[in-house]
Amino acid sequence: MKRILLTVASLCLAVTALAQPQLRKDNIDEVLKAMTLEEKATLLVGGARAAVVNGVTSGTAWQVPGAAGNTRPVERLGIPGTVLADGPAGLRIQPTRQGDGNTYYCTGFPVGTLLASSWDIDLVEKVTTAMGNEVLEYGVDVLLAPGINIHRNPLCGRNFEYFSEDPLLSGKMAAAYVRGIQGNGVGTSIKHYAANNQETNRNEDDAQVSPRALREIYLKNFEIAVKESQPWTVMSSYNKLNGRYTQQDVDLLTTVLRDEWGFQGIVMTDWGNKAGTVTSTKAGNDLMEPGNQNEIDRIIAGVKDGTISQEELDRNVRNMLNYIVLTPHFRGYKFSNKPDLKAHAAVAREAAGEAMVLLRNENGALPLKGDEKVALYGISAIDFVAGGTGSGDVNKAYVVNMEDAMVNAGFTLDKGLADYYKAFIAYDKAQTALNGTTFSWFSRRKLAEIAIPAAAIQNEAKANDVAVVVLGRNAGEGADRRQVDDFELTNVERELLRDVSTAFHAAGKKVVVVLNIGGVIETASWKNMVDAIVLPWSPGQEGANAVADVLTGKVNPSGKLPMTFPVNFMDHPSSANFPYNYSNAGNMRGFGWGPRQPQKDVDYTKYEEGIWVGYRHFATKGVEVSYPFGFGLSYSYFVYSKPVVKATADGFEASVTVTNQGQVAGKEVVEVYVHAPEGGLEKPARELKGFAKTKLLAPGESQTVTVKVDSYSLASFNEATSAWETPAGNYEVMFGASVNDIRRSAFYKAKKAQSWPVHNVFALDRK
Ligand code: BGC
C-alpha cells in the first residue's frame, strides 16, 4: 500500500513537473501546451502599472515607476512580466522614487519632427542607439515609440511626435529609429496604427479614407518600417478606420500587417481597450493595454463559448511568448539605473544642431560673430519648449533655455529685457500658486507672449547689436491646435515682430527669429520683415545650445523641412475636413456632453483630399507656399552636376554629384523625386522616392550620392484591380534641393509594366 501511494505521489510529481516547463527560446510550444486558459488570457492583458499614490510607490520589484504599462508574469512557467514605457523623444519614467535618494532622469532628445528634419538615417540611428541604452539601463523592455502618423494637417496636436507629411521619409526615419533602439536588445512599438491623424475625439472618431490614400499615404510608412526594421511591437490606435476600431480590425492587423508585410511581433492596443476585447483578440490584437480583469474575463468567456477559437487564442499567446523571450527581463539583464546621461546629452545637442532648418537668411545675416550684444525677445526664450506635452513628455533633469544658451555661447544679453521677462514669469508663477491652478500632463501651459512697449524697443535697438526673437508654441496629446492664435500669430506676437523689426532696421541692425514650435505655423505674412529665421522645432533639453551653435556658425545648418509651410491654413486640402476651430475637450467624448448627432470632423472625418496630402497637392496644383517640402538653407551653397540614372535588375540607381561652392564646410540633403509617365492613374507631379545626405563637404569639395529605387516603390495603388501597379514608360527622375527647387533631372525607362495584387480589404462601406 505504502509503495502504491509512493508511486502515485511520484507520478503526480512527474506530471506536475512535466506541466511546468520553464520558458526558454526553444520550448515555446511546450510552454504554450502547459498553459491553462486563465494563464493564456492573463498573458494577453496588461497588468496594473507601478503608480505613485500619495507619495507611495506601488508595484512589484520588476516594475518601473512611471512606465506606462506592463505585461503580466506567469511565474509558474518562468514567464516574466515585461515593462512598456513611452517615447518617443526619450524614455518617460518617473524621475524620483519614494525613500530613494537616487534619481531616474532620462535624456530629452529632439522631437520626431526635428529628427526627420535631419533627413539623416545615420544620425537618427545614433540618437536612438543612445535612447535605447536608457531604456535598457532603466529596466524597461519596450519603448512605446516611434510615433509615425502622417502630418495630414498642420494642426494635429501630436504632429511634433511624428515625422513627416511624406510616407517615404516617415517610413525611413521610423526604420532607422527602430534599428537604433532595438540594437540595444530592447523593443519598440510603432504607433498609432493607423489613420490617427487628429487628437479631437481620438477615441471614437471614424477616419474615412479611400483604399488608395490609405495604402499610399497612411499605411505606407508602417509598411516600410515593418519591412526594413521588424519592430518588436505595433500599437493599434484608438480611432476607427472606415467604420471599425483599428484594434478590432482583422484586415489591418492580420491580413495586411502580417500576411502581406510579414510582421512577426505583437500588436498591442493604445491605452484603452474597447469593450470588444473578444473582437480585438480574434483580429490579431495580441495584447490589451493598460489591461484590466474584465478583459481577462472576456477572453476566457470568448474561448469557452467558442467565439475565440483555440487557434486564435494560441496564435496570440505564441506571439506573446516569442516577444517575451527577446526581452531583457527574460534574459535576466542586470540593468544599472545609471545610463551615461552626460554622453547622451551631447548626442541630443549634436542631433538638434544637425537637424535644424534655416528658413531665411537675407544678406548673410547669420551666422553672428558670437560676441554681440543681443536683445533677446520672447517669453519662450526663457519658457523654452524642449518637447511637447502628454505621454511624449520626457522627465529630464534640466532644460537649457535660450537665455542660458546665448550666454554659454559668449553673447551678452540685454539685462533690462531679460529681467523684465523673468519678473513676468515669476509673477505668473506666484499668481498660479495663489489661484491654486494645477495643470494636468495633458495641458502643460505655455505662457502667452507679453507686449514690450515700442519706446523700450527703440532704446534696445540703440543699445544692442542684434535682436533675436523666440516665438514658441506647445502642443500635445489629447487636443488639436487651433487656427487662430496658434497656427496664426497672436496680435501681441505680430506687434512684437513689427516693432522690433522697425526699430532694429532703423538702427541698421538685424532681426533673427527662432521658431521654438511643435507644429507648422503661418510665416508668409511676416517673414519678409525679418532677416533670418531658424527652426529648431522642440529640440530637447540641449536644443537651445544647438540653436546657439547654429547662430554662431559652429554648426552649419543642413536640415530640411519634412512638411510644407503653407501660405494660409485653408490651402491644405485636408483643412476642409479637420476640426480646426473646434472648441474641443481633448479626446474625451461623452464627458458631460451626452448623446448627440454624429458631428463632422469629430465623430467622423472624411479624408476627401485622398492622396493629395502636403506637397503632393501643392506641387501638383502649383499652389504657392511659404516654404516648400524639403526646403532648408545652409551657410554654404551647393551645386548639383552629373545626374545619372542607371537601370538595375529591378528599378534604377540615381546619382548626382554635389559640390560645396560656399566658403564654409557644410552638408547637403539631395531629394530624389519621380514624375510617372502620363496615362493610367492620376499621380502627383513629383513624389519623393529617395534621399541622401552628403558628408561634411569642405569648400570646393564634391561627393557623388546614389539612391536606389526599386519598381515596387514606383507603384501606385489601383483600387479597381486592388493591386500596386508600376506602368511601363519614361519616368522623370529629379534631383531637388526641395520639392520646388529641382536642380537636375534624368530619365528612367521602365520596359515592362508590373503589378503586385493585394487583398481588397479597406472599402469605405465595409462592415
Ligand atoms: C498614447 C500613446 C502612449 C500611451 C501610453 C496613450 O494615450 O496615445 O501614444 O504610448 O498612452 O502612455
Side-chain angles (χ1 to χ4, degrees):
M1 181 66 186
K2 213 169 164 190
R3 242 181 43 211
I4 295 175
L5 271 181
L6 266 177
T7 321
V8 171
S10 43
L11 253 178
C12 285
L13 268 178
V15 169
T16 329
L18 260 188
Q20 303 225 61
Q22 299 298 290
L23 181 65
R24 297 190 315 267
K25 271 191 174 167
D26 60 0
N27 73 344
I28 286 174
D29 281 340
E30 190 191 351
V31 170
L32 185 66
K33 230 183 198 164
M35 291 177 85
T36 64
L37 173 57
E38 284 69 19
E39 286 168 342
K40 288 179 179 175
T42 297
L43 204 59
L44 301 184
V45 177
R49 63 175 162 183
V52 187
V53 180
N54 298 331
V56 179
T57 308
S58 69
T60 46
W62 58 271
Q63 296 186 321
V64 177
N70 299 300
T71 66
R72 299 177 194 237
V74 180
E75 275 134 18
R76 185 178 78 85
L77 299 169
I79 302 173
T82 66
V83 178
L84 322 168
D86 285 301
L91 176 67
R92 178 181 168 83
I93 57 172
Q94 195 184 300
T96 53
R97 295 176 190 173
Q98 184 74 9
D100 178 346
N102 299 313
T103 55
Y104 301 83
Y105 288 106
C106 299
T107 306
F109 290 95
V111 296
T113 299
L114 180 58
L115 291 182
S117 303
S118 74
W119 296 62
D120 187 337
I121 303 278
D122 295 339
L123 182 82
V124 174
E125 258 188 79
K126 182 171 178 181
V127 168
T128 54
T129 297
M131 196 188 287
N133 172 263
E134 295 186 16
V135 178
L136 180 71
E137 292 304 337
Y138 279 132
V140 172
D141 298 279
V142 173
L143 185 72
L144 302 169
I148 70 171
N149 296 101
I150 291 291
H151 292 181
R152 170 178 177 251
N153 187 273
L155 296 193
C156 171
R158 292 183 84 172
N159 274 354
F160 69 94
E161 293 186 58
Y162 307 149
F163 293 123
S164 173
E165 71 185 18
D166 179 81
L168 177 85
L169 180 59
S170 170
K172 294 283 180 190
M173 289 293 138
Y177 187 113
V178 169
R179 284 194 300 266
I181 299 282
Q182 293 193 174
N184 287 279
V186 293
T188 52
S189 191
I190 55 174
K191 67 189 187 184
H192 310 86
Y193 186 62
N196 181 184
N197 304 99
Q198 67 183 61
E199 287 300 288
T200 304
N201 197 24
R202 66 178 176 154
N203 286 340
E204 298 295 328
D205 182 50
D206 183 16
Q208 300 178 359
V209 195
S210 73
R212 180 174 177 191
L214 198 53
R215 293 267 188 180
E216 287 186 20
I217 309 288
Y218 299 101
L219 298 187
K220 195 52 156 184
N221 52 347
F222 284 94
E223 178 183 351
I224 293 170
V226 165
K227 288 181 174 170
E228 294 188 6
S229 65
Q230 216 27 275
W232 289 10
T233 88
V234 166
M235 188 189 292
S236 52
S237 52
Y238 290 121
N239 56 287
K240 291 181 194 145
L241 169 60
N242 294 354
R244 282 188 210 159
Y245 289 115
T246 60
Q247 55 180 246
Q248 299 175 2
D249 186 353
V250 66
D251 297 335
L252 194 65
L253 306 188
T254 297
T255 312
V256 169
L257 180 66
R258 293 181 191 278
D259 301 346
E260 290 185 10
W261 301 345
F263 176 64
Q264 282 159 20
I266 58 164
V267 176
M268 69 178 82
T269 62
D270 198 346
W271 259 233
N273 174 236
K274 315 284 173 187
T277 315
V278 168
T279 323
S280 297
T281 304
K282 289 174 72 61
N285 198 120
D286 307 290
L287 176 65
M288 314 300 149
E289 283 295 337
N292 60 44
Q293 186 60 41
N294 289 340
E295 290 160 359
I296 297 181
D297 295 344
R298 282 187 211 126
I299 294 175
I300 293 174
V303 174
K304 283 191 174 154
D305 71 17
T307 327
I308 300 175
S309 70
Q310 196 61 46
E311 290 72 44
E312 287 164 340
L313 178 74
D314 286 353
R315 172 197 65 187
N316 295 7
V317 174
R318 187 177 286 104
N319 289 340
M320 286 300 297
L321 293 174
N322 277 324
Y323 148 71
I324 286 165
V325 297
L326 299 173
T327 60
H329 267 103
F330 175 78
R331 299 197 301 271
Y333 181 76
K334 299 270 175 295
F335 52 92
S336 64
N337 277 326
K338 296 219 169 347
D340 189 346
L341 295 181
K342 211 165 159 214
H344 297 172
V347 174
R349 177 176 180 163
E350 179 197 341
E354 289 292 312
M356 212 167 290
V357 188
L358 180 63
L359 289 178
R360 182 176 171 85
N361 195 18
E362 289 303 289
N363 305 317
L366 293 176
L368 302 173
K369 290 203 303 289
D371 59 358
E372 287 92 340
K373 282 201 260 168
V374 178
L376 183 60
Y377 293 96
I379 200 92
S380 305
I382 297 169
D383 188 31
F384 192 74
V385 183
T389 63
S391 58
D393 191 6
V394 177
N395 293 312
K396 41 212 170 280
Y398 63 87
V399 172
V400 177
N401 66 25
M402 277 303 297
E403 194 188 48
D404 304 332
M406 296 298 277
V407 172
N408 292 344
F411 293 105
T412 306
L413 297 183
D414 183 292
K415 192 165 174 319
L417 198 51
D419 288 347
Y420 182 76
Y421 280 113
K422 274 196 209 131
F424 176 78
I425 288 174
Y427 165 78
D428 184 83
K429 265 197 190 138
Q431 284 296 111
T432 307
L434 213 63
N435 299 336
T437 319
T438 53
F439 299 102
S440 79
W441 67 299
F442 277 124
S443 62
R444 175 193 169 269
R445 193 177 53 140
K446 177 88 197 79
L447 291 175
E449 198 50 73
I450 50 173
I452 309 281
I457 293 176
Q458 275 162 17
N459 289 334
E460 284 141 14
K462 280 183 207 130
N464 295 281
D465 301 319
V466 61
V468 174
V469 184
V470 185
L471 295 182
R473 291 284 181 278
N474 206 355
E477 184 174 355
D480 291 310
R481 297 169 54 218
R482 308 283 296 273
Q483 178 186 358
V484 177
D485 289 349
D486 191 342
F487 177 79
E488 290 159 4
L489 298 195
T490 65
N491 285 338
V492 176
E493 288 169 333
R494 281 182 194 288
E495 279 157 20
L496 182 68
L497 285 178
R498 184 197 61 204
D499 294 347
V500 169
S501 303
T502 309
F504 277 74
H505 288 160
K509 292 164 186 174
K510 308 278 188 202
V511 178
V512 178
V513 172
V514 174
L515 295 180
N516 177 211
I517 57 184
V520 172
I521 63 166
E522 186 276 318
T523 50
S525 70
W526 57 267
K527 64 183 179 185
N528 292 335
M529 284 199 286
V530 303
D531 303 284
I533 305 176
V534 177
L535 172 62
W537 298 108
S538 306
Q541 67 183 50
E542 284 283 341
N545 278 333
V547 175
D549 291 340
V550 165
L551 294 183
T552 58
K554 200 167 151 193
V555 170
N556 184 358
S558 59
K560 295 201 173 177
L561 290 178
M563 83 296 282
T564 311
F565 272 53
V567 173
N568 297 301
F569 169 71
M570 289 313 283
D571 294 346
H572 265 280
S574 63
S575 296
N577 292 286
F578 191 88
Y580 58 93
N581 274 342
Y582 183 68
S583 70
N584 74 60
N587 58 341
M588 311 299 180
R589 181 189 176 192
F591 271 37
W593 293 2
R596 58 196 163 80
Q597 287 301 311
Q599 201 175 325
K600 175 181 170 322
D601 307 336
V602 176
D603 298 293
Y604 61 91
T605 304
K606 289 182 188 285
Y607 287 35
E608 278 171 343
E609 70 283 359
I611 63 161
W612 306 102
V613 176
Y615 76 85
R616 283 170 167 72
H617 164 73
F618 293 108
T620 307
K621 301 279 152 62
V623 179
E624 194 195 336
V625 298
S626 187
Y627 293 109
F629 176 80
F631 177 83
L633 300 171
S634 162
Y635 297 149
S636 320
Y637 181 74
F638 300 93
V639 170
Y640 294 33
S641 61
K642 299 192 214 123
V644 177
V645 169
K646 262 201 284 188
T648 59
D650 179 34
F652 63 87
E653 247 180 42
S655 52
V656 73
T657 301
V658 178
T659 305
N660 180 357
Q661 295 216 330
Q663 306 296 313
V664 288
K667 296 179 183 173
E668 170 72 341
V669 174
V670 175
E671 302 153 33
V672 176
Y673 296 93
V674 161
H675 177 74
E678 301 301 332
L681 295 175
E682 203 187 356
K683 296 208 186 192
R686 293 185 274 286
E687 260 188 314
L688 186 75
K689 294 297 173 192
F691 56 91
K693 192 163 186 171
T694 67
K695 61 180 185 173
L696 188 71
L697 294 176
E701 196 181 358
S702 299
Q703 185 185 351
T704 301
V705 294
T706 303
V707 167
K708 283 194 182 135
V709 180
D710 62 19
S711 324
Y712 179 64
S713 35
L714 292 175
S716 299
F717 184 73
N718 187 346
E719 292 182 2
T721 56
S722 189
W724 290 97
E725 293 177 352
T726 301
N730 280 330
Y731 289 76
E732 187 179 2
V733 179
M734 293 162 272
F735 301 91
S738 84
V739 71
N740 285 357
D741 182 7
I742 302 302
R743 300 282 178 84
R744 297 279 161 178
S745 65
F747 280 89
Y748 161 66
K749 189 174 165 82
K751 294 210 177 91
K752 57 175 190 343
Q754 275 183 276
S755 89
W756 295 263
V758 290
H759 298 86
N760 185 0
V761 281
F762 294 119
L764 277 161
D765 58 356
R766 70 182 177 158
K767 292 286 165 297

